[in-house]
C-alpha cells in the first residue's frame, strides 16, 4: 500500500499505464538503501574518504572504528545532523530575506506591492518598536547583518527564555553569520565534539524560527492576515474547461502576482478567446496553503502528489519557485502537454522553461507566465485527460486563536494539551496515513490539534477537517464549541508554524509558566526535508518536544541521546522518534502528561 488517498492511488495507476516512474517507483529501485548512510556511518566531506564505520565494530574481526581523520561514529553523526540543520535553516532564511527585500521595495515605492493589512502592520510595528514601514523593513534586513545584540524578530520571545539562550551561548546575533558558522563547522578538520555541534544546531534552530516569524509577519502585512474560509482539496477540483495553472513551492510573493494576473479581465478574455471557460490557479504544498488562506483557491495536493499534476492531462503550466520541488517534474511531464516553468536562479531544472522572477517587474512577468499557459491550451489532448473525481470540502486558514481560553482549559484539565502536526510526506511510509491516523488518535484523547504544511492536505482530503467534532472526545468537543474553533485547526503553510509558536507563547504567558511546563508537543510524522530538522531545533530551543516519524534524523545512539536528554533540564525540549502512528499517539500523550 503506497497511499491512503484514492485520487493518488488512481494517478499512480495512470503513471504505471504510461510507463512513467514516480517517487514511489524510484524509491523501490533504491532498495535496499545504504545501511551506512541510514545509520550516519559514512562521510565524504574530504578527499581522504569516502569513509565508513562498521556498525558492528565492537565484534572481533570487524571493520573500521574511525574515519581516516579519526572521526568516530558519534562525531560523524553529529556532523551529519548539523549539516541537515544548516541547510534547512538556509532555506527559511533565504525566503525571509526575499520577502524582507520586497518589503523594503514597498517602503521605497520600487515594487508593485503594497501594505494590505494595516491592523497587522500596526501590531508588528509595536512589537518591534518601529515608527513606519521603512523602519520595519530596516529592522527585518538588519537581522541578516547586525554585529551586536540579537535578532529583532526575537522580541516576542520572553526575557527569561532569551536569558537562558544567552547563558547556553545559543542566542544568535545575525542570521547570515550563524549559517556561515554552521557551514564552517562542517569543514574538514573543524567541528568534532558531538555536543558542541548539536549546540550550534540548536542556535541555528532559533535562526530558523526567527526566519519563519519574519516571513509570516511580513507576508500577512503585504497580502492579508488569513481568516477562516471554506475550500476544496484534491485532484477532483481541476476544471477541464479551464486553463489550469499549478503553483508549486513556497513564495506568495510570486504566486500572489500569478493569482492577480488570472483575475485580470483582459487576460481572462484572452483565455476565453482561446476556447476556455475560465482560468484558475491551483496550489500544491505551501504555495497552495498560502493561496488558499487568502483567496480560497483549490488546494490540489501535497509533496508526493506534485508529479501527478501533469498526468491529469488538464494542466497547462506548473510554475515552481524553490524548495520541495522534484527535478523529476520535467521528465514526468515530458509525455504530456504541461509546461514546467522555473522562476528562481537558485532552482533551475534542466529541460524546464525558465522565466526569472523580478520583484520590480512582478506584474509583467506574472502576466507573461499566465499567457504562456493560455497559449498552451491548444496543445491539450482531450483523450489524455484523466482527472480523478475525488475532492473534499473543508474549512481552514485560522490565524486568530483563543489563547486565554486554551490556557484555562489546560489549567482546568478540560483538554490534555495542544499538538502541532506538520511537515512533508515521504514514500518510505504510506502517503498521508500517519498524518491522518495520529490526528484522529489525538482528538479522540481530548487533545487540541493544529497543523501546517503538507499535513494540511492530508487532513483536508481525508475529511478530518470537516468531521473532527464527531471524532473527538467529549471534553475537547465541549471546549471547541465554547471557544469557537474546531478540534483540528488548519493554520496554513510551513511558515505559519510561527502562528503555533505565537500561540504557545501566549498560552504560557496566560498560565504564568515557562513553555517547558505546559502540555505541548509537535510531531512531523512523514518528514523528508532538511527544513523540518531545522525547525525541530527551534521547538527544542523553545522547550517543546518534537516527535519524528519515518526515521530518526540522527543515526547514532549517542547523538540521539544528546537530542533526547541533554536539553530537558535547560530549555525543556527534546527530539524523539516513533515510526508507527498508533505508538506515536502514545508517545505524544505520555509527553503531554509529563508536562501538565
Amino acid at each position: 500500500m503506497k497511499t491512503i488517498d484514492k485520487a493518488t492511488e488512481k494517478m499512480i495507476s495512470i503513471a504505471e499505464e504510461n510507463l512513467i516512474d514516480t517517487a514511489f517507483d524510484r524509491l523501490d529501485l533504491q532498495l535496499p538503501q545504504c545501511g551506512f548512510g541510514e545509520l550516519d556511518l559514512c562521510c565524504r566531506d574530504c578527499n581522504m574518504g569516502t569513509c565508513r564505520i562498521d556498525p558492528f565494530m565492537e565484534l572481533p574481526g570487524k571493520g573500521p572504528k574511525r574515519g581516516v581523520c579519526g572521526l568516530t561514529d558519534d562525531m560523524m553523526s553529529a556532523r551529519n545532523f548539523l549539516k541537515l540543520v544548516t541547510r534547512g535553516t538556509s532555506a527559511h532564511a533565504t525566503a525571509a530575506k526575499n520577502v524582507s527585500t520586497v518589503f523594503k521595495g514597498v517602503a521605497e515605492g520600487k515594487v508593485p506591492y503594497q501594505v494590505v493589512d494595516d491592523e497587522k502592520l500596526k501590531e508588528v510595528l509595536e512589537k518591534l518598536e518601529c515608527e513606519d514601514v521603512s523602519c520595519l523593513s530596516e529592522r527585518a534586513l538588519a537581522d541578516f547583518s547586525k554585529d551586536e545584540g540579537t535578532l529583532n524578530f526575537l522580541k516576542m520571545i520572553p526575557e527569561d527564555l532569551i536569558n537562558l539562550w544567552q547563558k547556553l551561548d545559543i542566542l544568535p546575533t545575525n542570521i547570515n553569520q550563524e549559517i556561515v558558522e554552521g557551514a564552517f563547522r562542517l569543514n574538514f578538520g573543524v567541528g568534532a565534539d558531538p555536543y558542541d555541534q548539536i549546540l550550534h544546531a540548536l542556535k541555528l534552530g532559533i535562526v530558523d524560527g526567527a526566519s519563519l516569524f519574519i516571513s509570516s509577519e511580513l507576508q500577512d502585512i503585504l497580502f492579508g492576515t488569513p481568516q477562516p474560509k471554506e475550500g476544496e482539496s484534491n485532484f477532483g477540483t481541476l476544471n477541464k474547461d479551464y486553463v489550469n495553472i499549478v503553483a508549486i513551492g513556497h513564495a506568495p510573493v510570486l504566486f500572489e502576482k500569478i493569482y492577480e494576473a488570472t483575475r485580470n479581465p483582459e487576460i481572462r478574455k484572452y483565455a476565453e478567446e482561446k476556447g476556455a471557460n475560465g482560468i484558475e490557479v491551483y496550489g500544491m504544498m505551501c504555495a497552495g496553503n498560502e493561496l488558499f488562506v487568502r483567496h480560497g483557491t483549490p488546494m490540489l495536493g501535497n509533496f508526493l502528489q506534485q508529479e501527478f499534476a501533469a498526468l491529469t492531462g488538464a494542466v497547462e503550466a506548473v510554475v515552481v519557485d524553490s524548495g520541495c520541488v522534484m527535478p523529476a517534474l520535467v521528465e514526468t511531464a515530458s509525455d504530456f502537454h504541461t509546461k514546467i516553468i522555473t522562476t528562481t536562479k537558485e532552482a533551475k531544472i534542466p529541460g524546464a522553461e525558465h522565466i526569472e522572477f523580478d520583484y520590480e517587474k512582478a506584474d509583467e512577468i506574472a502576466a507573461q507566465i499566465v499567457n504562456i499557459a493560455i497559449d498552451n491550451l491548444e496543445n491539450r489532448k482531450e483523450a489524455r485527460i484523466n482527472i480523478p473525481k475525488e475532492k473534499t470540502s473543508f474549512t481552514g486558514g485560522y490565524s486568530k486563536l483563543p489563547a486565554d481560553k486554551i490556557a484555562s482549559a489546560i489549567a482546568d484539565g478540560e483538554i490534555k494539551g495542544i499538538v502541532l502536526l506538520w511537515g512533508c510526506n515521504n514514500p518510505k511510509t504510506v502517503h498521508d496515513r500517519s498524518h491522518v491516523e495520529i490526528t484522529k488518535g489525538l482528538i479522540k484523547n481530548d487533545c487540541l490539534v493544529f497543523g501546517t504544511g503538507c499535513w494540511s492536505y492530508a487532513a483536508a482530503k481525508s475529511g478530518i477537517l470537516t468531521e473532527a467534532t464527531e471524532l473527538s472526545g467529549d471534553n475537547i468537543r465541549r471546549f471547541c464549541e465554547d471557544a469557537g474553533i474546531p478540534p483540528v485547526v488548519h493554520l496554513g503553510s510551513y511558515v505559519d508554524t510561527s502562528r503555533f509558536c505565537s500561540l504557545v507563547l501566549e498560552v504560557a504567558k496566560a498560565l504564568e509558566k515557562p513553555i517547558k511546563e505546559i502540555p505541548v508537543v509537535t510531531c512531523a510524522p512523514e518528514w523528508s526535508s532538511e527544513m523540518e530538522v531545522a525547525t525541530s531545533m527551534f521547538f527544542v530551543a523553545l522547550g517543546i518536544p518534537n516527535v519524528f516519524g519515518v526515521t530518526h534524523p540522527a543515526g547514532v545512539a549517542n547523538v540521539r541521546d544528546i537530542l533526547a536528554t541533554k536539553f530537558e533540564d535547560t530549555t525543556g525540549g527534546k527530539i524523539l522518534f516513533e515510526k508507527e502512528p498508533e505508538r506515536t499517539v502514545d508517545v505524544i500523550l505520555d509527553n503531554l502528561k509529563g508536562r501538565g
Side-chain angles (χ1 to χ4, degrees):
M1 184 180 186
K2 295 178 178 178
T3 180
I4 63 168
D5 177 54
K6 295 297 183 185
T8 303
E9 197 173 64
K10 290 175 183 176
M11 296 312 298
I12 290 172
S13 297
I14 289 170
E16 290 172 350
E17 290 168 8
N18 286 275
L19 303 179
I20 295 172
D21 66 20
T22 66
F24 297 99
D25 305 304
R26 295 189 295 272
L27 174 64
D28 289 341
L29 292 172
Q30 290 287 337
L31 298 177
Q33 290 182 302
C34 175
F36 291 97
E38 289 192 342
L39 294 173
D40 268 351
L41 297 178
C42 64
C43 174
R44 57 157 301 164
D45 288 349
C46 80
N47 201 35
M48 294 190 296
T50 300
C51 293
R52 300 186 303 184
I53 292 176
D54 195 321
F56 306 105
M57 59 187 174
E58 300 303 329
L59 298 176
K62 291 298 176 180
K65 297 182 180 181
R66 291 175 176 264
V68 174
C69 71
L71 278 181
T72 59
D73 58 349
D74 55 352
M75 294 177 188
M76 209 174 271
S77 182
R79 285 173 66 92
N80 288 335
F81 186 86
L82 178 59
K83 193 180 299 181
L84 289 172
V85 174
T86 303
R87 294 203 308 246
T89 303
S90 74
H92 287 143
T94 299
K97 178 72 177 293
N98 289 344
V99 72
S100 298
T101 301
V102 171
F103 204 77
K104 180 184 179 183
V106 171
E108 296 174 347
K110 293 182 177 180
V111 295
Y113 298 88
Q114 61 185 358
V115 171
V116 168
D117 194 330
D118 291 316
E119 183 180 337
K120 185 58 180 272
L121 173 62
K122 181 180 178 182
E123 176 189 320
V124 178
L125 289 176
E126 289 177 359
K127 281 182 188 176
L128 271 72
E129 301 172 358
C130 284
E131 308 84 40
D132 54 25
V133 171
S134 180
C135 171
L136 181 55
S137 70
E138 290 174 5
R139 294 281 173 88
L141 286 169
D143 275 354
F144 294 87
S145 60
K146 61 192 303 188
D147 295 324
E148 58 184 10
T150 190
L151 306 180
N152 294 311
F153 272 78
L154 291 180
K155 285 188 179 295
M156 63 286 294
I157 302 297
E159 187 177 357
D160 59 342
L161 195 50
I162 292 288
N163 291 337
L164 174 61
W165 291 348
Q166 196 162 24
K167 182 179 178 181
L168 293 172
D169 196 23
I170 58 171
L171 187 63
T173 298
N174 84 59
I175 291 171
N176 286 347
Q177 176 55 40
E178 306 306 348
I179 294 171
V180 169
E181 182 179 329
F184 174 61
R185 285 168 169 268
L186 296 169
N187 268 270
F188 169 63
V190 186
D193 181 84
Y195 176 77
D196 194 53
Q197 296 286 75
I198 299 301
L199 202 61
H200 191 71
L202 196 58
K203 194 174 192 178
L204 284 173
I206 298 170
V207 169
D208 187 86
S211 299
L212 295 178
F213 275 114
I214 291 171
S215 293
S216 188
E217 300 281 59
L218 297 188
Q219 287 167 189
D220 281 357
I221 293 169
L222 292 176
F223 308 124
T225 302
Q227 302 294 330
K229 54 179 55 66
E230 294 181 358
E232 291 184 323
S233 183
N234 220 334
F235 286 117
T237 60
L238 283 168
N239 188 331
K240 70 180 182 64
D241 297 321
Y242 276 34
V243 170
N244 294 317
I245 299 171
V246 173
I248 294 181
H250 291 84
V253 171
L254 164 65
F255 298 121
E256 282 283 329
K257 286 299 180 182
I258 290 177
Y259 173 81
E260 286 179 19
T262 63
R263 269 57 188 171
N264 182 304
E266 291 184 8
I267 291 177
R268 294 182 78 86
K269 182 180 178 182
Y270 182 54
E272 290 169 4
E273 289 172 355
K274 289 288 187 174
N277 289 348
I279 184 168
E280 185 60 278
V281 182
Y282 303 79
M284 302 192 83
M285 296 119 75
C286 287
N289 273 298
E290 293 283 0
L291 286 168
F292 163 73
V293 298
R294 295 187 175 93
H295 305 293
T297 54
M299 287 175 49
L300 199 61
N302 50 22
F303 175 68
L304 284 179
Q305 292 178 283
Q306 65 181 279
E307 292 183 272
F308 300 122
L311 271 60
T312 64
V315 171
E316 278 57 65
V318 173
V319 186
V320 307
D321 57 7
S322 59
C324 300
V325 178
M326 291 190 189
L329 285 177
V330 172
E331 180 66 24
T332 304
S334 62
D335 197 37
F336 290 78
H337 80 293
T338 306
K339 288 183 178 291
I340 308 298
I341 301 173
T342 57
T343 58
T344 66
K345 64 181 184 295
E346 304 93 343
K348 296 178 180 179
I349 303 174
E353 183 168 348
H354 185 73
I355 301 174
E356 190 83 22
F357 189 65
D358 182 334
Y359 305 135
E360 294 186 8
K361 301 175 181 177
D363 290 328
E364 176 186 332
I365 292 170
Q368 178 188 357
I369 290 171
V370 173
N371 282 326
I372 287 173
I374 294 171
D375 288 339
N376 195 30
L377 178 64
E378 65 184 17
N379 296 314
R380 186 194 288 186
K381 294 178 173 60
E382 187 75 21
R384 301 207 69 186
I385 294 176
N386 290 291
I387 301 176
K389 68 178 187 301
E390 284 80 10
K391 63 179 178 179
T392 308
S393 299
F394 68 97
T395 301
Y398 291 82
S399 60
K400 299 186 184 302
L401 304 168
D404 287 342
K405 289 186 176 182
I406 293 171
S408 296
I410 289 173
D412 296 341
E414 190 176 0
I415 63 176
K416 290 181 179 176
I418 52 178
V419 180
L420 175 73
L421 288 172
W422 61 294
C424 293
N425 306 117
N426 194 315
K428 289 182 176 180
T429 189
V430 178
H431 171 235
D432 285 350
R433 184 182 68 177
S434 292
H435 285 309
V436 171
E437 292 305 316
I438 293 169
T439 302
K440 287 180 179 179
L442 290 171
I443 59 176
K444 181 181 178 181
N445 282 279
D446 289 321
C447 298
L448 185 58
V449 174
F450 299 83
T452 60
C454 283
W455 167 91
S456 306
Y457 295 85
K461 292 179 298 177
S462 66
I464 278 189
L465 291 179
T466 303
E467 302 165 1
T469 300
E470 291 75 21
L471 298 171
S472 297
D474 292 339
N475 287 344
I476 198 73
R477 189 184 302 123
R478 283 192 296 268
F479 165 76
C480 289
E481 288 172 357
D482 176 64
I485 58 173
V488 180
V489 182
H490 169 265
L491 296 177
S493 72
Y494 192 126
V495 301
D496 294 324
T497 297
S498 64
R499 301 192 200 282
F500 180 78
C501 295
S502 296
L503 172 66
V504 171
L505 290 166
E506 291 173 21
V507 169
K509 182 178 180 180
L511 291 172
E512 298 182 340
K513 290 182 177 183
I515 292 173
K516 67 180 181 180
E517 293 180 12
I518 67 172
V520 53
V521 175
T522 63
C523 178
E526 298 183 26
W527 77 281
S528 60
S529 83
E530 309 101 312
M531 291 181 285
E532 288 146 296
V533 185
T535 304
S536 75
M537 294 307 282
F538 182 50
F539 296 143
V540 174
L542 287 174
I544 303 172
N546 182 76
V547 185
F548 279 111
V550 190
T551 58
H552 198 295
V556 172
N558 186 40
V559 178
R560 291 186 179 191
D561 182 66
I562 292 172
L563 292 166
T565 66
K566 295 302 181 182
F567 305 111
E568 274 195 292
D569 294 333
T570 51
T571 70
K574 55 187 173 181
I575 298 295
L576 303 170
F577 167 68
E578 176 50 60
K579 186 174 183 177
E580 294 301 322
E582 297 82 3
R583 290 201 293 267
T584 301
V585 173
D586 293 335
V587 170
I588 292 172
L589 292 173
D590 287 345
N591 277 272
L592 291 172
K593 189 185 301 182
R595 297 164 60 89

